[in-house]
């Protein structure tokens, strides 16, 4: 039995492929070294009293559910990488999709 999606859900689903293309282009335009420079500039501005820089850093570093320092330390000691997180997320999505389609 097919589940009907409401208008908002359909709009989000229709928008996703386009947003993914734009995000892919943005990722290519801002390599890790460039992002590192952006972060360093923001940190310097925050130290010099720029409230917006502090807010931006807080958003990207702390968020609403921040990683605990013990988690970060454990990841570092195990040489855990972002690639592992990407792999886990990819697997989770494939698994969830398979469940929805069955």
């Amino acid at each position: 039995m097919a589940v009907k999606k409401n208008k908002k859900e359909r709009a989000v689903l229709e928008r996703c492929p386009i947003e993914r293309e734009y995000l892919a282009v943005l990722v290519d335009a801002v390599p890790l070294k460039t992002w590192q420079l952006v972060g360093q500039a923001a940190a310097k501005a925050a130290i010099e009293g720029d409230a917006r820089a502090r807010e931006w850093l807080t958003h990207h570093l702390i968020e609403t559910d921040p990683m605990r320092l013990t988690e970060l330390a454990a990841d570092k000691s195990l040489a855990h990488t972002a690639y592992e997180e990407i792999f886990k997320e990819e697997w989770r999505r494939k698994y969830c999709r398979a469940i929805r389609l069955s």
Side-chain angles (χ1 to χ4, degrees):
M1 176 163 95
V3 176
K4 281 188 135 182
K5 294 190 179 352
N6 66 34
K7 190 175 182 180
K8 185 177 180 181
E9 289 172 322
R10 285 193 309 271
V12 169
L13 290 173
E14 291 167 4
R15 196 174 63 224
C16 286
I18 294 169
E19 287 177 350
R20 287 174 190 265
E21 289 179 38
Y22 275 88
L23 184 57
V25 169
L26 183 59
V27 167
D28 289 340
V30 185
L32 192 56
K33 183 63 179 169
T34 302
W35 190 246
Q36 183 179 29
L37 295 172
V38 169
Q40 289 171 348
K44 183 177 184 226
I47 289 168
E48 293 171 353
D50 186 329
R52 290 191 69 197
R54 281 194 310 277
E55 181 182 326
W56 185 84
L57 285 168
T58 300
H59 169 74
H60 287 285
L61 295 173
I62 298 174
E63 297 190 52
T64 57
D65 186 22
M67 177 182 271
R68 295 187 341 248
L69 290 177
T70 53
E71 293 173 316
L72 186 60
D75 284 352
K76 188 172 183 176
S77 72
L78 295 170
H80 182 74
T81 66
Y83 296 109
E84 293 170 19
E85 290 297 318
I86 293 167
F87 176 78
K88 286 180 195 175
E89 180 63 17
E90 180 182 357
W91 184 87
R92 186 191 66 78
R93 289 180 182 196
K94 285 179 183 176
Y95 177 77
C96 291
R97 183 172 182 225
I99 298 260
R100 283 194 312 264
L101 295 176
S102 62

